[in-house]
């Protein structure tokens, strides 16, 4: 891409990034800057800081807006709907058009990664244009004239003229792209004043009525400028000359006998040059320069220079006026046409005899008829038959009398479907009061979309589910909190997360994941409906990923929230569509109430989130209210995390071993290594409480390596302690499975001196089904090394049979949750039989874990399950205690001593 640095004179287009304002202040959503802090022209970028420390850009607010609403917080001043931001590479042309057309003080600029990088205001936009022009100008003319203040004291006239013509050319160029701006005139005037070494300069621009609309000055104080704001209205020499549009060049002005006409308080002037800004007899304004800095007088050359400048200015202004006028007329037409065509409301125009002459696109969408099918026919073609003659008679009566009718009416679509619409009809009359057209505008009341403009839909809604997004959600939540406060009720926030969604997405693909999210959105929306309607302010939003939120207003207390949570869980008992099959999914909900648990948006969200987290720990498919205790738990989590960092060095981890038994002969064949953490203050901590932390912190890699090595070393001891060689089973977590696993294992095995056939790895089902291609590759390598891998917790994830076939694995381990309910009649029993059948079909072995009772053992045996593990055979024990397993046979429904 070429830019201005490569081509100093090239006219590469400026873009938004190059016009960012430096008058930008970053502010928090609930800030309310004081009047004293406000600087005119300042823009505030308003951010909401989310609990995770992520800042969410809400929008821009101008200092003028703040000044007008001093009691409101910034979040409430962010305009609604928020104007779409521009990309940093958007050409300034487009930025400028949007600022003008949408009447915005500023536009937000985002980069490729979707981060807010700043804002463009009208002033910063002009600054950028001017800066570019100045650069071009000095590039073009640096050999002829220095334009900076330390310029050559006496440039020749031709040099001056040249640089002036460059200046005016650039003025024209700028004016072609932007409206006449005070700012722009100021810089031109300053430039001219400097060029001619004048002490004061002023430009008065007239409006279309010939009144001074803009008075721009340089070298004068504000006070002085105010005093000379009144013009010498035709009085005295100056007044008369100006009235006649004459040029004036006066020396020793104050001595001139006819120098009257200056208002009192006008600064003393010796030397004046006044030129009218006019073209073809039309005057647009006047330009004055006063007093040379060196005490000299303006000469004829100066006058010519100024006249040239004034000419150009006149041309520019005329162009702008013309363009402006034309643009306004064109724009009006364009707006009318585009409103007609893009309106989400159906529009129908008939002639005086009610024959349809014109319809818009929305009408064809709503009614289902094409344009050709309706033009020339009568609107009665849409009649539903629901209204009697009286209804229509009254409509016509009202149209005749007042030229207007409005009301709800039932009409019929082409499909035959009857739907309600809100219709307003206006009779258009000519000068003689004869009706020439009827214009009907209607909104389809059956579609909830009819109020949402496209822009609003894009910015505030989630594309996939059409639910409000996080941004919109925060708005709603803020309102709900305020309302609850005002009405002495509670508002509930239900934070909702789909259990194991990631697994679903990874297993079935994003398309099915997306469809699922849409179905979830639909069901949640239904949960908020009572008698087919949603109460005002009650909202379902999608916060991203598989996270949803429900806002429920007007609650008496937790009991009411309870009911809603139950309703939601109930809604999930029906299976969902997964492609062409159906499956059940579950959700976990965290609930926080306002004002009970929090009185601001962030705290409420944080508390609901914590409650959700807690509910997940309780075992998913459940809901949990926020309570202060969760906070405590959470800080425990943080403390634990801290301690974990030192645990490995301090040798606080140890391994326990649980036997795996061959169900056919009762012999122990292998030991599963299960990690334990002996915390100095808290005692033994079970892995469920810290393995997830290890994974979150990345500590799982060093700790996992330690487990592998320790297990391999201990495996060599089994033979010595128990008299027979056993293999060892090690659990793997996701991170380990990816990270150079085979290399590490190869290294450990050779260092310890253990045969690969004695090491088994356990991989959970959900883990195996993530990134399947990678899994297949690693499993192939492990198989090549001679290491067996089994799929752990089988039955809890979502296995795909075709993948299972491609995995080089040796066994499936049925999750203990099924074994708990193992008996012939139950569903669990059926699942166990199905898994065993599947394993046999795939030529895999089956292990049952969590075997606790002789009945379970009997059931498993009778269904030809190969191996078993569980308290029935032995609890996990440290290496030092496994000697007690020696010589045990476990084939008669319990350990035999
Ligand atoms: P897992 O791999 O499913 O391990 C089996 C869990 O069931 C063990 O819990 C074990 O003590 C328990 N268990 C064994 N027999 C019975 C029984 O008859 N009834 C019941 N109710 N439970 C039984 P533990 O030791 O608390 O381990 C929990 C989980 O932590 C393991 O589940 C495994 O996923 C993970 N884990 C343990 N050690 C490691 C490790 O070294 N690395 C990794 N990545 N994860 C580990
Ligand atoms: Ca395991
Ligand atoms: Ca398991």
């Amino acid at each position: 891409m070429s830019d201005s640095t490569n081509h100093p004179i090239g006219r590469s287009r400026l873009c938004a990034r190059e016009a960012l304002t430096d008058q930008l202040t970053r502010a928090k959503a609930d800030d309310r800057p004081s009047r004293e802090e406000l600087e005119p022209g300042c823009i505030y970028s308003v951010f909401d800081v989310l609990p995770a420390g992520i800042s969410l850009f809400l929008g821009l607010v101008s200092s003028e807006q703040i000044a007008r609403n001093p009691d409101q917080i910034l979040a409430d001043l962010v305009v609604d709907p928020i104007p779409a931001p521009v990309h940093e590479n958007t050409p300034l042309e487009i930025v400028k058009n949007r600022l003008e057309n949408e009447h915005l003080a500023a536009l937000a600029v985002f980069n490729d990664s979707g981060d807010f990088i700043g804002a463009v205001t009208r002033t910063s936009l002009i600054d950028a244009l001017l800066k570019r022009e100045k650069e071009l100008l000095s590039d073009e003319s640096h050999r002829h004239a220095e334009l900076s203040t330390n310029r050559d004291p006496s440039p020749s006239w031709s040099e001056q003229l040249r640089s002036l013509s460059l200046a005016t050319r650039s003025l024209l160029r700028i004016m072609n792209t932007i409206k006449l701006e005070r700012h722009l005139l100021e810089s031109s005037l300053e430039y001219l004043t400097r060029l001619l070494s004048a002490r004061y300069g002023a430009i008065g621009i007239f409006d279309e009525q010939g009144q001074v609309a803009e008075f721009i000055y340089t070298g004068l104080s504000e006070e002085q400028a105010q005093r000379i704001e009144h013009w010498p209205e035709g009085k005295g020499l100056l007044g008369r000359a100006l009235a006649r549009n004459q040029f004036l060049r006066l020396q020793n002005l104050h001595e001139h006998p006819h120098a009257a006409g200056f208002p009192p308080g006008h600064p003393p002037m010796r030397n004046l040059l006044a030129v009218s800004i006019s073209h073809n007899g039309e005057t647009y304004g006047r330009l004055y320069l006063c007093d040379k800095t060196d005490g000299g007088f303006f000469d004829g050359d100066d006058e010519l220079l100024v006249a040239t400048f004034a000419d150009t200015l006149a041309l520019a202004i005329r162009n702008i006026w013309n363009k402006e006028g034309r643009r306004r007329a064109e724009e009006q037409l364009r707006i009318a046409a585009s409103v007609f065509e893009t309106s989400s409301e159906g529009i129908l125009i008939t002639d005086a005899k009610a024959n349809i002459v014109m319809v818009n696109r929305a009408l064809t969408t709503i009614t289902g008829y094409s344009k050709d099918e309706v033009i020339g026919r009568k609107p009665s073609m849409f009649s539903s038959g629901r209204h009697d003659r009286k209804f229509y008679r009254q409509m016509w009566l009202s149209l005749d009398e007042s030229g207007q009718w409005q009301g709800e009416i039932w009409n019929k679509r082409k499909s035959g479907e009857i739907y309600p619409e809100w219709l307003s009809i206006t009779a258009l009359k000519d000068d003689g009061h004869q009706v020439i057209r009827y214009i009907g505008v209607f909104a389809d009341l059956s579609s909830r979309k009819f109020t949402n403009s496209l822009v609003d839909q894009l910015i505030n809604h989630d594309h996939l589910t059409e639910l409000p997004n996080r941004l919109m959600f925060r708005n709603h939540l803020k309102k709900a909190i305020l309302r609850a406060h005002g009405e002495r009720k509670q508002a509930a926030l239900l934070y909702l997360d789909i259990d194991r969604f990631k697994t679903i997405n990874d297993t079935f693909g994003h398309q099915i994941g997306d469809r699922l999210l849409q179905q979830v959105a639909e069901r949640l929306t239904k949960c908020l409906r009572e008698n087919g309607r949603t109460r005002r302010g009650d909202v379902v939003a999608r916060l991203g990923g598989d996270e949803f939120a429900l806002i429920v207003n007007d609650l008496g207390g937790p009991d009411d929230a309870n009911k809603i949570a139950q309703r939601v869980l109930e809604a999930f008992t029906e299976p969902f569509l997964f492609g062409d099959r159906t499956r059940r999914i579950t959700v976990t909900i965290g609930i926080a109430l306002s004002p009970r648990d929090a009185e601001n948006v962030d705290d409420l969200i944080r508390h609901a989130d914590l409650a959700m987290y807690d509910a997940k720990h309780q075992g998913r498919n459940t809901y949990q209210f926020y309570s202060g205790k969760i906070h405590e738990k959470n800080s425990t989590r943080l403390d634990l995390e801290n301690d974990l960092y030192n645990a490995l060095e301090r040798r606080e981890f140890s391994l326990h071993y649980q036997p795996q038994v061959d169900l056919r002969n009762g012999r122990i064949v292998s030991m599963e290594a299960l990690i334990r953490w002996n915390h100095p203050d808290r005692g033994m901590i079970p892995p469920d409480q810290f393995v997830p932390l290890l994974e979150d912190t990345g500590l799982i890699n060093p700790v996992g390596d330690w487990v592998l090595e320790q297990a391999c070393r201990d495996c060599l001891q089994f033979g010595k302690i128990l008299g027979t060689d056993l293999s060892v089973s090690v659990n793997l977590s996701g991170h380990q499975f990816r990270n150079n696993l085979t290399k590490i294992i190869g290294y450990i095995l050779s260092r310890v001196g253990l045969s690969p056939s004695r090491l088994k790895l356990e991989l959970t089902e959900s883990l195996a089904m993530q990134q399947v291609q990678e899994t297949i590759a690693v499993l192939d390598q492990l198989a090549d090394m001679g290491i067996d891998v089994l799929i752990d917790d089988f039955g809890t994830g979502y296995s795909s049979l075709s993948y299972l076939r491609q995995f080089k694995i040796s066994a499936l381990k049925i999750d203990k949750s099924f074994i708990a309910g193992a008996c012939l009649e139950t569903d669990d029993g059926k699942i166990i039989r199905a898994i065993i059948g599947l394993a046999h079909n795939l030529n895999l072995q089956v292990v049952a874990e969590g075997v606790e009772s002789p009945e379970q053992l009997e059931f498993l045996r009778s269904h030809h399950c190969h191996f078993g593990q569980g308290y029935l055979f032995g609890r996990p024990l440290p290496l030092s205690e496994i000697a007690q397993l020696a010589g045990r046979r476990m084939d008669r429904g319990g350990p035999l001593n």
Side-chain angles (χ1 to χ4, degrees), residues 791-809:
I791 303 288
D792 205 351
D793 298 347
F794 194 82
T796 57
Y798 300 91
S799 277
S800 136
L801 201 59
S802 70
Y803 289 151
L804 264 188
R805 267 187 226 284
Q806 296 178 56
F807 289 165
K808 290 214 179 116
I809 46 174

Side-chain angles (χ1 to χ4, degrees), residues 660 672-674 730-731 762-763 790 792-793 813 849 869:
Q660 285 178 5
E672 178 174 6
L674 295 160
V730 174
N731 292 287
E762 302 197 358
L763 188 67
L790 67 75
D792 205 351
D793 298 347
K813 193 171 192 178
E849 69 177 0
Q869 186 182 350

